[in-house]
Amino acid sequence: MKKILVFVLVGMFVTVAFAGCKTAEKALVTFVFAKGDAVRLDPADVTDGESITVMDNIFEGLVKYKPGSTEVEPNLATSWEPSSDGLEWTFYLRKDVTFHDGTPFNADAVVFSFERQRDENHPFHKYGEWDYWGWCFGEIAKTEKVDDYTVKITLDTPFAPFISTMAMFTVFVVSPTSANEWGGQWFTHPVGTGPFTFVEWVKGDHITLEKNPDYWGEKAKIDKLIFRVIDDPSARLLALTKGEVHGMEFPNPDDLENIKNNPDLQILSKPGLSVGYLAMNMGEDTPGYQEEFGDVRVRRAIAHAINKQDIIDYLYKGTAIVAKNPIPPTLWGYNDAIQDYEYNPEKARELLAEAGYPDGFKTNLWAMPVSRPYMFDPTKIATAIQADLAKVGIDAEIVSYDWGTYLDKTDNGEHAMCLLGWTGDYADPDNFLYVLLDPDSATVGSAGNVAFYRNPEVHRLNMEAVTTFDLAKRTELYKQVQVLVHEDVPWVTLAHATQILVFRSNVKGFVLYPTGDYHFDATYFEGEG
Amino acid sequence: MRNYSALHDTIRYLKKNKGAMLGLLLIVAFILMAIFAPHIAPHSPIEQSLKNNLKPGIWANNPTNILGTDEFGRDLLSRIIYGARISLSVGFIAVFIGMLLGGTAGIIAGFFGGKIDEIIMRIVDIMFSLPSILLAIVIVAILGRGLDKAMIAIGITYAPQIARIIRAETLVVKNTEYVEGAKAIGSSSIRTMLVHVLPNVMSPIIVYATLSTGSAILDAAALGFLGLGAQPPTAEWGAMLASSFHSITGGYWWVETFPGIAIALTVLGFNLFGDGLRDSLDPKLRI
């Protein structure tokens, strides 16, 4: 009797053990990436990389960039054709796509996504600022549905970089059903067509996305994608070394040597399409305006007072090159003939004296609270600049706010000087010289031009350049803009940084984009699925 | 037979207490360092030289920067010496503000009793329900960043504890015969409080103030670390820790270690001395 019981028990154990083996499904693959927190998750209503890099995975546009480049290829539109005058663009849409909430993707969704930004009478228009629309899409007169799967976009003026801009996050197509349901709160409930669906956003802690099982294209290789908010680069690196996260952005340059020597980690780097700069507020109508900065001699003095080379060598630790132009040298149109203001405190003091400030003056210097691809530790750079300015008698107080507030306040022009930077959204100087330095972008409240630099000649050249289709001629025009910017010094251009991401060694498939976008659909762990 | 006064007595007991003497020594050393900072410090605390950033100190044969340099190439030793000025003055001023606010509230509450006592002590209770550093952060958020505001914020957070101690002492003292006597000969309330009550409730305050100075320095460092206290380029120990802690993972241990040691030693000094003072001022603890 006892023996039988033993047999039965053993039998049961064996069955259970094997049953376990048979039914055990492949564990879910979770990928955790450490970065700063997003500001909003409405693709049309953000300007910051931290939000964009999350949304790259949730949403898609009509066209997209080839992985790792700025070349445009079909995405939600299978093909497109411009009219002969370049004013009417017809897009033919994919027919097999649905949004994450089940809404079918069609011309109505495209028209909704575009018109809500353009048309002030659109019922959704009131829920956003739509900064980018004004910066990059002002030439769009209207977007119309031709039939269910054909959309026609009409432009006011020919716009040379138009098709490149169509790959930007601003014109990602959003689900009209879900947007209308949430209204002003939609930016916390994003619904797109992308390879990942949105699960939750715990502000300041994490954003979770899940693989979209019904994705029309090649499905994501990881099941769950978590963006963990770790603001501090050292803390990120610790989490990565311990294996708590599998990837991170913008390591501290001090740590690069250690990362290289760690076999568990790999570095991905690529020259970025970016610029980090110090903007000096020239806008008399802004709350932060100081009359000193209205004088070009003061601005030139500041350009002479800052020792950029030392900042690059000892703070960027060689992960950047000194910037003399607002556009990076990797971009066409770069004016290499420009001679940068050399580091010369003596000359700076002379210029200040000439301008009537022999003893300098008091001012403020704003520094971003987060590391950005173009500036890994803004406070440190601000401190270095502060000391350089102190040498010529300028007493600058460092001011900082949390990231969202910082952007709002600098858009309002509440600063005298502020550090900021820019990563190009498409490979065209227009994206830098128009968005960041054109009078059109210097509207108080939604400024991309936070120097509030308003040179009508810059505007004329910019306009001529976007309505010209001859590349050689455009190059010439943009070179002239750079000459003007160099003479007027609305910015002290600081650095063009290299984009650096660090991953665990077993992470494969991730590709860096010059635009700083993160697409995780092709990412996988070596040795797993 | 010589007649020892209470003060003599206290000093005699203090002298016997080795811990307290060590604490006093540390405090005096840091105070001297703060006063004579411009004479002792080998370099300017804010002059940077990026070329020399993150250089190790004397242990790596660098006689110019004994404790090495920070991430801006500023001399660490000089920054620590100048930092003593900031930290000590923050400690003293914050505690003084706390004593002024808390002391006034406590003595009034204890002396008058009744409704006034009730109101003051409930406010104190509300302040107690918030963690002190959190309260300080809230106050700084309202007042704005900066060292002066940090001092006020810390002072306010110390007030409730001081109010409570003084109130308890006042309750005891106000029923003594000499206070009754003073009242009987027509001394005004204010005069009675200042002349008869206050001197007799001082000893617990002195102990508490000494101990608090240590924690006020620590709180100021915490606020500095969070970027709410001293603003760059001021050499403040907490801010020094904060600005350089990125460097620690890169192997530059000195930028973090020395300001940390400075904070620890100062706070230790005040704590040891405060403990000794309590032992010698409280007759119940003497055998």
Side-chain angles (χ1 to χ4, degrees):
Chain A
M1 186 63 201
K2 228 180 186 175
K3 261 187 187 162
I4 293 171
L5 196 68
V6 171
F7 274 122
V8 171
L9 278 178
V10 169
M12 271 166 71
F13 274 122
V14 170
T15 326
V16 170
F18 277 94
C21 277
K22 263 184 214 159
T23 54
E25 280 179 26
K26 220 181 83 223
L28 288 177
V29 181
T30 306
F31 185 91
V32 189
F33 189 83
K35 64 196 280 298
D37 203 1
V39 177
R40 279 191 200 91
L41 291 178
D42 181 337
D45 199 22
V46 295
T47 56
D48 70 300
E50 297 296 4
S51 306
I52 296 161
T53 47
V54 172
M55 289 186 295
D56 283 337
N57 299 286
I58 307 174
F59 295 97
E60 290 172 305
L62 297 176
V63 299
K64 65 173 181 185
Y65 297 124
K66 265 190 190 148
S69 82
T70 48
E71 231 175 288
V72 170
E73 62 179 22
N75 201 17
L76 289 177
T78 48
S79 62
W80 56 89
E81 55 190 22
S83 65
S84 53
D85 57 1
L87 287 177
E88 277 184 13
W89 291 72
T90 311
F91 288 87
Y92 302 98
L93 309 180
R94 289 194 75 92
K95 296 179 177 153
D96 55 349
V97 183
T98 50
F99 286 99
H100 303 148
D101 63 351
T103 313
F105 164 77
N106 53 30
D108 291 322
V110 178
V111 171
F112 175 84
S113 303
F114 285 40
E115 287 294 285
R116 68 182 181 131
Q117 304 181 52
R118 184 195 66 81
D119 180 6
E120 279 166 26
N121 299 319
H122 193 279
F124 203 85
H125 188 81
K126 61 175 179 285
Y127 297 125
E129 307 280 342
W130 322 117
D131 287 350
Y132 251 109
W133 186 268
W135 298 344
C136 301
F137 301 91
E139 72 289 345
I140 297 184
K142 57 178 187 283
T143 308
E144 292 162 301
K145 169 180 172 176
V146 176
D147 62 48
D148 269 359
Y149 293 100
T150 314
V151 170
K152 191 173 83 185
I153 300 176
T154 315
L155 310 184
D156 281 331
T157 50
F159 184 56
F162 177 73
I163 198 66
S164 286
T165 65
M166 282 294 115
M168 274 177 63
F169 52 89
T170 318
V171 285
F172 280 165
V173 184
V174 307
S175 161
T177 325
S178 123
N180 284 327
E181 190 185 326
W182 289 99
Q185 287 306 307
W186 187 73
F187 71 87
T188 56
H189 301 89
V191 174
T193 57
F196 290 93
T197 62
F198 173 79
V199 179
E200 64 166 355
W201 178 13
V202 179
K203 227 176 165 7
D205 191 66
H206 68 270
I207 296 172
T208 305
L209 310 183
E210 249 169 26
K211 172 181 177 172
N212 175 5
D214 306 317
Y215 186 57
W216 59 270
E218 190 157 332
K219 293 179 181 56
K221 297 193 169 74
I222 46 183
D223 300 297
K224 208 173 200 180
L225 174 59
I226 299 174
F227 295 103
R228 235 181 85 189
V229 177
I230 308 180
D231 281 327
D232 174 60
S234 309
R236 270 182 216 156
L237 182 62
L238 281 178
L240 183 68
T241 326
K242 281 192 281 178
E244 285 170 17
V245 301
H246 307 107
M248 62 172 274
E249 56 182 12
F250 326 138
N252 191 335
D254 281 346
D255 294 330
L256 286 176
E257 209 45 51
N258 283 347
I259 297 171
K260 276 181 201 145
N261 295 331
N262 187 337
D264 291 338
L265 305 179
Q266 54 170 330
I267 295 177
L268 257 66
S269 72
K270 190 174 189 132
L273 204 57
S274 75
V275 62
Y277 59 86
L278 172 78
M280 292 170 275
N281 187 347
M282 301 162 61
E284 285 170 30
D285 53 344
T286 61
Y289 176 72
Q290 279 184 286
E291 57 171 7
E292 288 89 345
F293 292 103
D295 191 324
V296 69
R297 289 170 294 192
V298 171
R299 300 196 299 273
R300 282 191 188 144
I302 290 174
H304 278 299
I306 297 172
N307 190 342
K308 295 189 210 175
Q309 192 60 51
D310 270 9
I311 291 177
I312 301 294
D313 289 351
Y314 302 105
L315 295 179
Y316 277 96
K317 307 244 168 195
T319 61
I321 52 166
V322 170
K324 63 178 181 183
N325 279 323
I327 65 171
T330 41
L331 190 60
W332 59 269
Y334 184 76
N335 191 343
D336 209 16
I338 279 174
Q339 282 290 320
D340 201 8
Y341 295 99
E342 80 284 1
Y343 171 60
N344 188 343
E346 205 42 56
K347 200 162 177 184
R349 249 180 258 120
E350 278 166 28
L351 281 165
L352 282 175
E354 224 177 276
Y357 308 102
D359 305 319
F361 54 92
K362 268 178 112 75
T363 182
N364 56 62
L365 166 58
W366 290 34
M368 300 95 86
V370 287
S371 45
R372 306 295 313 135
Y374 42 77
M375 213 177 275
F376 75 93
D377 190 344
T379 321
K380 234 180 218 180
I381 288 162
T383 313
I385 291 176
Q386 184 188 40
D388 281 341
L389 293 181
K391 276 184 203 154
V392 299
I394 298 172
D395 177 11
E397 183 198 353
I398 295 178
V399 179
S400 198
Y401 291 97
D402 71 274
W403 187 217
T405 317
Y406 187 87
L407 290 173
D408 286 345
K409 285 186 180 276
T410 46
D411 283 1
N412 274 331
E414 294 181 30
H415 56 283
M417 290 188 285
C418 74
L419 289 175
L420 257 178
W422 186 255
T423 302
D425 306 297
Y426 51 93
D428 196 301
D430 173 66
N431 188 232
F432 287 82
L433 301 176
Y434 180 75
V435 176
L436 305 175
L437 291 159
D438 195 272
D440 272 7
S441 316
T443 315
V444 178
S446 65
N449 177 351
V450 292
F452 297 90
Y453 168 56
R454 296 165 176 137
N455 184 336
E457 186 59 13
V458 167
H459 182 65
R460 194 189 62 75
L461 291 166
N462 271 338
M463 287 303 106
E464 198 182 331
V466 287
T467 47
T468 308
F469 286 81
D470 174 18
L471 193 66
K473 217 171 152 200
R474 295 190 67 205
T475 305
E476 211 35 62
L477 291 165
Y478 284 129
K479 282 190 173 172
Q480 287 177 42
V481 175
Q482 290 166 68
V483 171
L484 288 175
V485 170
H486 173 75
E487 279 167 7
D488 294 339
V489 220
W491 294 357
V492 179
T493 49
L494 295 171
H496 300 299
T498 310
Q499 243 196 102
I500 302 178
L501 266 56
V502 189
F503 286 99
R504 302 283 302 173
S505 302
N506 60 346
V507 175
K508 303 283 160 189
F510 186 89
V511 181
L512 280 173
Y513 284 66
T515 48
D517 285 306
Y518 300 161
H519 292 273
F520 286 96
D521 49 333
T523 306
Y524 63 97
F525 292 104
E526 199 170 45
E528 294 175 47
Chain B
M1 192 178 140
R2 279 177 69 187
N3 205 353
Y4 285 108
S5 75
L7 185 65
H8 278 124
D9 227 21
T10 309
I11 293 173
R12 194 162 55 90
Y13 272 93
L14 257 181
K15 274 187 182 159
K16 278 195 202 154
N17 187 333
K18 288 206 181 76
M21 282 297 108
L22 178 65
L24 186 64
L25 197 72
L26 282 170
I27 296 172
V28 170
F30 275 106
I31 289 177
L32 289 177
M33 200 162 104
I35 293 172
F36 297 107
H39 306 285
I40 321 171
H43 301 278
S44 152
I46 53 171
E47 194 178 310
Q48 69 176 33
S49 133
L50 286 175
K51 283 184 185 62
N52 292 318
N53 75 340
L54 298 169
K55 285 256 157 62
I58 191 108
W59 59 93
N61 292 321
N62 179 359
T64 9
N65 308 106
I66 295 172
L67 297 184
T69 60
D70 70 0
E71 70 276 23
F72 299 104
R74 300 178 294 205
D75 182 50
L76 212 55
L77 178 64
S78 310
R79 281 181 76 71
I80 290 173
I81 291 172
Y82 273 92
R85 287 188 155 187
I86 308 280
S87 288
L88 289 179
S89 45
V90 171
F92 289 137
I93 295 173
V95 168
F96 180 74
I97 293 173
M99 278 170 66
L100 211 63
L101 294 174
T104 318
I107 209 162
I108 291 174
F111 191 79
F112 291 107
K115 276 240 168 64
I116 296 175
D117 182 29
E118 200 63 28
I119 293 168
I120 292 179
M121 292 324 283
R122 288 306 76 77
I123 294 172
V124 165
D125 284 344
I126 291 169
M127 288 175 78
F128 260 119
S129 65
L130 296 165
S132 67
I133 191 74
L134 197 64
L135 185 60
I137 290 172
V138 170
I139 297 169
V140 170
I142 296 166
L143 296 177
R145 291 150 192 254
L147 204 59
D148 42 347
K149 282 120 183 169
M151 287 182 205
I152 298 172
I154 296 167
I156 294 175
T157 61
Y158 281 66
Q161 183 68 41
I162 293 171
R164 214 175 242 195
I165 293 171
I166 295 205
R167 174 181 171 269
E169 287 294 313
T170 310
L171 285 178
V172 176
V173 173
K174 88 168 177 188
N175 292 324
T176 51
E177 280 141 12
Y178 56 88
V179 174
E180 299 271 316
K183 278 186 188 165
I185 59 166
S187 162
S188 73
S189 296
I190 292 177
R191 189 185 150 78
T192 321
M193 270 195 278
L194 289 179
V195 178
H196 301 288
V197 179
L198 190 61
N200 292 295
V201 298
M202 274 320 272
S203 68
I205 302 183
I206 290 171
V207 173
Y208 187 73
T210 315
L211 288 170
S212 306
T213 309
S215 24
I217 290 171
L218 214 52
D219 285 351
L223 287 180
F225 187 84
L226 296 172
L228 301 171
Q231 296 299 306
T234 317
E236 196 269 335
W237 295 339
M240 283 165 75
L241 286 180
S243 73
S244 58
F245 83 115
H246 295 309
S247 309
I248 209 166
T249 44
Y252 311 102
W253 55 270
W254 55 93
V255 279
E256 204 65 11
T257 313
F258 295 118
I261 291 176
I263 296 176
L265 283 182
T266 321
V267 176
L268 181 74
F270 278 103
N271 283 352
L272 285 175
F273 185 65
D275 277 343
L277 212 55
R278 182 179 54 204
D279 292 351
S280 51
L281 280 175
D282 190 345
K284 276 169 268 174
L285 289 175
R286 288 190 203 153
I287 303 156

